[in-house]
């Protein structure tokens, strides 16, 4: 396809999302990035549960820095409980950091986000002479999230919680979130689970059980779209503010073997979010080979 023909494709792409970006990865993660499409890519918006990608990256960064095994068990405390997605844990449940992250990424568990933030925030504060409160520990972890975001050059982002529930002042942009997705590709633990439909995690404590956690993105999309499919999808994270804001950050493998990162924020319905994903995929697939 000639470049003028590809420009015609770009000109005819009109996602329903309020903001969007599509970036090509032509080689390895250190290769130059090429922006193929953008729409209001620097407009601030609520990232919703895409926030959990930063929670996961920050958790893995802390674990590496503090030599914390992903097998370390975390306990669920009453202050960790919160409504919303992935509400599948109980007080006094114990699960490994690895399984808490899987629950975070697949089931989009808000409780897992709080457990991770409080537990690792406490470790970050462990050199203090008095024990940190849960609020102090959460705040310390969220400070670390913002430090990681700054390192990733997410210049228009600010995070106030680890789960992504709407709060005034928490914001990001499609461009910033594309940089976050790029960072996720450097972490095998994230890439190994974020495209799965389900995974079994072990819960210990007073109510030991094997818990099958399912992808909230795939499940909600399939309920809304009986013929739902995600061609070339390698992984990512959805985020929703019901009933009218649906976000998706995704990595896809193109027909020519390259990859794209696509972020769409503010699609008005689940169906629109899926169509916006397919539009970003078309932008990538229709680009001339290099």
């Amino acid at each position: 396809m000639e470049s003028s023909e590809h420009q015609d494709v770009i000109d005819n792409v009109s996602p329903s999302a309020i903001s969007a970006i599509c970036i090509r990865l032509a080689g390895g993660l250190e290769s130059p990035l090429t922006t193929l499409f953008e729409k209001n890519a620097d407009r601030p918006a609520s990232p919703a549960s895409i926030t959990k990608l930063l929670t996961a990256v920050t958790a893995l960064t802390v674990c590496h820095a503090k030599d914390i095994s992903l097998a370390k068990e975390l306990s669920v405390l009453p202050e960790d409980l919160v409504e919303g997605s992935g509400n599948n844990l109980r007080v006094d449940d114990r699960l490994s950091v690895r399984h808490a992250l899987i629950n975070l990424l697949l089931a989009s568990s808000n409780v897992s986000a709080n457990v991770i933030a409080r537990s690792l925030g406490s470790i970050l504060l462990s050199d203090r002479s008095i024990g940190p409160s849960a609020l102090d520990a959460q705040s310390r972890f969220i400070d670390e999230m913002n430090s990681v975001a700054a390192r990733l050059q997410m210049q228009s982002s600010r995070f106030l919680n680890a789960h992504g529930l709407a709060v005034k002042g928490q914001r990001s942009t499609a461009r910033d979130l594309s940089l976050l997705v790029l960072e996720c590709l450097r972490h095998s633990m994230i890439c190994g689970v974020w495209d799965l439909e389900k995974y079994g995690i072990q819960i210990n404590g007073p109510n030991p059980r094997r818990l099958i956690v399912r992808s909230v993105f795939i499940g909600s999309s399939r309920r809304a779209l009986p013929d739902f499919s995600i061609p070339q999808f390698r992984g990512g994270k959805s985020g929703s503010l019901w009933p009218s804001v649906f976000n998706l950050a995704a990595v896809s493998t193109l027909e020519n073997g390259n990859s794209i990162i696509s972020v769409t924020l503010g699609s008005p319905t689940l169906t629109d979010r899926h169509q916006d994903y397919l539009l970003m995929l078309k932008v990538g697939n229709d680009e001339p080979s290099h």
Side-chain angles (χ1 to χ4, degrees):
M1 177 180 287
E2 298 296 332
S3 59
S4 61
E5 294 176 9
H6 184 246
Q7 187 59 50
D8 288 342
V9 170
I10 298 296
D11 291 343
N12 289 323
V13 169
S14 182
S16 65
I18 294 170
S19 59
I21 197 166
C22 179
I23 295 174
R24 186 189 75 224
L25 307 176
L29 297 180
E30 307 307 322
S31 300
L33 306 177
T34 301
T35 300
L36 304 180
F37 175 86
E38 61 179 270
K39 172 188 175 182
N40 301 326
D42 297 307
R43 177 173 174 168
S46 172
S49 281
I50 297 176
T51 298
K52 294 181 174 95
L53 292 183
L54 182 59
T55 304
V57 167
T58 303
L60 292 170
T61 301
V62 171
C63 287
H64 178 75
K66 298 292 185 179
D67 197 25
I68 300 167
S69 169
L70 296 186
K72 176 182 173 61
E73 279 200 332
L74 309 178
S75 296
V76 180
L77 300 184
E79 55 264 35
D80 297 324
L81 300 184
V82 62
E83 294 302 316
S85 59
N87 199 353
N88 53 14
L89 299 177
R90 309 168 188 168
V91 173
D92 295 329
D93 280 348
R94 300 197 310 271
L95 71 169
S96 68
V97 174
R98 181 183 301 277
H99 283 178
L101 287 169
I102 291 170
N103 199 29
L104 179 86
L105 294 169
L106 284 186
S108 200
S109 170
N110 295 332
V111 176
S112 275
N114 281 344
V115 171
I116 290 166
R118 175 187 50 75
S119 301
L120 297 184
S122 293
I123 291 171
L124 290 170
L125 287 173
S126 61
D127 57 342
R128 287 174 32 156
S129 59
I130 57 173
S133 70
L135 179 61
D136 286 339
Q138 291 262 5
S139 297
R140 178 63 186 87
F141 185 85
I142 292 162
D143 285 345
E144 197 69 17
M145 288 173 62
N146 283 297
S147 294
V148 171
R151 174 175 61 81
L152 298 178
Q153 301 297 309
M154 297 172 64
Q155 298 176 353
S156 300
S157 297
R158 183 184 181 213
F159 295 89
L160 300 174
N161 62 45
H163 41 60
L165 288 174
V167 59
K168 184 177 181 180
Q170 179 144 303
R171 63 183 183 274
S172 191
T173 67
R175 193 182 312 279
D176 280 3
L177 292 173
S178 71
L179 298 174
L180 175 58
V181 173
L182 179 65
E183 178 65 17
C184 288
L185 291 171
R186 305 179 195 278
H187 295 274
S188 59
M189 190 273 140
I190 296 176
C191 297
V193 301
W194 69 350
D195 65 339
L196 300 179
E197 286 200 45
K198 61 182 179 179
Y199 193 97
I201 65 174
Q202 181 61 40
I203 307 297
N204 297 319
N207 298 289
R209 60 198 184 276
R210 188 75 171 170
L211 182 64
I212 304 299
V213 297
R214 301 179 185 276
S215 167
V216 67
F217 163 58
I218 295 176
S220 62
S221 298
R222 191 160 281 151
R223 286 190 295 273
L225 299 157
D227 57 349
F228 169 74
S229 67
I230 40 175
Q232 300 164 258
F233 181 78
R234 277 178 55 196
K237 186 75 185 72
S238 61
S240 305
L241 298 175
W242 290 82
S244 59
V245 175
F246 297 92
N247 303 336
L248 181 64
V251 180
S252 308
T253 301
L254 301 177
E255 293 168 354
N256 63 11
N258 289 335
S259 297
I260 59 168
I261 292 171
S262 61
V263 180
T264 52
L265 301 179
S267 301
T269 69
L270 285 166
T271 300
D272 291 324
R273 182 175 70 186
H274 182 54
Q275 291 302 315
D276 288 343
Y277 168 77
L278 296 177
L279 279 175
M280 296 300 98
L281 197 60
K282 178 175 175 58
V283 168
N285 282 328
D286 286 347
E287 192 205 14
S289 298
H290 293 276

